[in-house]
Amino acid sequence: MSHALQGRAAPFRLIPVIDLRRGVVVRARAGERDAYAPIVTPLARGSAPADVARGLLDAVAADTLYVADLDAIMEGTAPDRASLEAVAHACPGVALWVDAGFSQAAAVERFLGTGLGRPVIGSESQRDDALVRALGHRAVLSLDSRGDARLGPEALHDEAGSWPDEVIVMTLGRVGTGTGPDFFGISQAVARAGGRRIYAAGGVRGPLDVARLEEVGAAGALVASAIHDGGFR
């Protein structure tokens, strides 16, 4: 399927992002997670997950919200169910994509049983490609990188045949920096994707970046800082 046909069939999706730490939303920057501080944003009073999520969704038209549970990713804790439930209640009808450092099938099945969203399987949390292959299209795959280093098993990055139908190209070093997406890396992923939908994450600044991402065949982009800072107003 050509990129032009894909564009007509499925308009570009802007997916807002919240990063959770200790029960509040934090401001992500350059993937330095230990340094993230509670967010201050004109979109919400305070940093409560439900309030920030609602503010983001009021600011841009979106049907999906990406939630990164940093405690689960960094420390291996269970997903922050209370925060996820609060977000789900505040944002009815919005699908949640949840990255909680999933690396074991049993943990993913428990999460799926809560009905709180679709699991995101981050390559940085994997030892091999078995979990991604087992889950198939029930999950979203995040291909994580930091600088020139690809995180996680090489097989996940190289073997597109194991990818589900939706894949995030997550350039952690660009998150919150306003330096622009990794257009080359995203175009490479699109070229290998075999019609799978590729989403950019990290560095998206506004509509001009979205236009260029559409040109290289991306299906959408994950965005936080640019929405908080008014880049999409």
Side-chain angles (χ1 to χ4, degrees):
M1 182 182 293
S2 72
H3 297 159
L5 289 174
Q6 285 180 313
R8 285 197 293 270
F12 192 93
R13 295 173 69 193
L14 200 64
I15 300 178
V17 174
I18 61 172
D19 292 274
L20 301 179
R21 187 105 163 102
R22 305 290 188 257
V24 301
V25 178
V26 294
R27 183 74 177 246
R29 183 173 175 81
E32 301 297 334
R33 293 165 175 156
D34 285 329
Y36 291 179
I39 198 164
V40 176
T41 173
L43 304 181
R45 294 182 177 179
S47 54
D51 295 339
V52 178
R54 189 67 263 165
L56 286 165
L57 292 164
D58 286 344
V60 297
D63 59 7
T64 302
L65 179 75
Y66 178 99
V67 182
D69 185 333
L70 300 181
D71 296 319
I73 294 170
M74 297 168 64
E75 301 169 10
T77 59
D80 182 352
R81 183 163 179 170
S83 291
L84 292 172
E85 288 177 342
V87 169
H89 180 74
C91 308
V94 174
L96 302 184
W97 287 3
V98 179
D99 185 350
F102 298 114
S103 61
Q104 302 293 328
V108 176
E109 295 297 340
R110 283 195 297 271
F111 174 74
L112 286 167
T114 68
L116 287 171
R118 187 175 178 191
V120 175
I121 308 302
S123 66
E124 67 172 324
S125 301
Q126 310 309 303
R127 284 187 266 186
D128 54 38
D129 62 356
L131 182 59
V132 169
R133 288 185 179 276
L135 289 169
H137 302 316
R138 293 192 295 163
V140 177
L141 171 63
S142 179
L143 296 174
D144 306 321
S145 65
R146 190 184 299 277
D148 294 329
R150 301 192 300 182
L151 305 181
E154 290 296 322
L156 276 179
H157 292 270
D158 291 335
E159 297 176 14
S162 67
W163 295 355
D165 57 0
E166 295 185 292
V167 179
I168 299 163
V169 176
M170 176 72 73
T171 51
L172 289 166
R174 295 174 184 256
V175 169
T177 63
T179 53
D182 177 11
F183 294 107
F184 178 69
I186 292 155
S187 64
Q188 283 189 314
V190 169
R192 294 187 290 117
R196 296 169 178 85
R197 293 180 290 278
I198 302 298
Y199 297 84
V204 178
R205 296 164 290 195
L208 292 178
D209 284 341
V210 165
R212 189 171 172 194
L213 287 169
E214 287 187 280
E215 288 176 1
V216 301
L222 277 58
V223 186
S225 294
I227 302 174
H228 291 294
D229 296 340
F232 284 94
R233 291 178 191 162

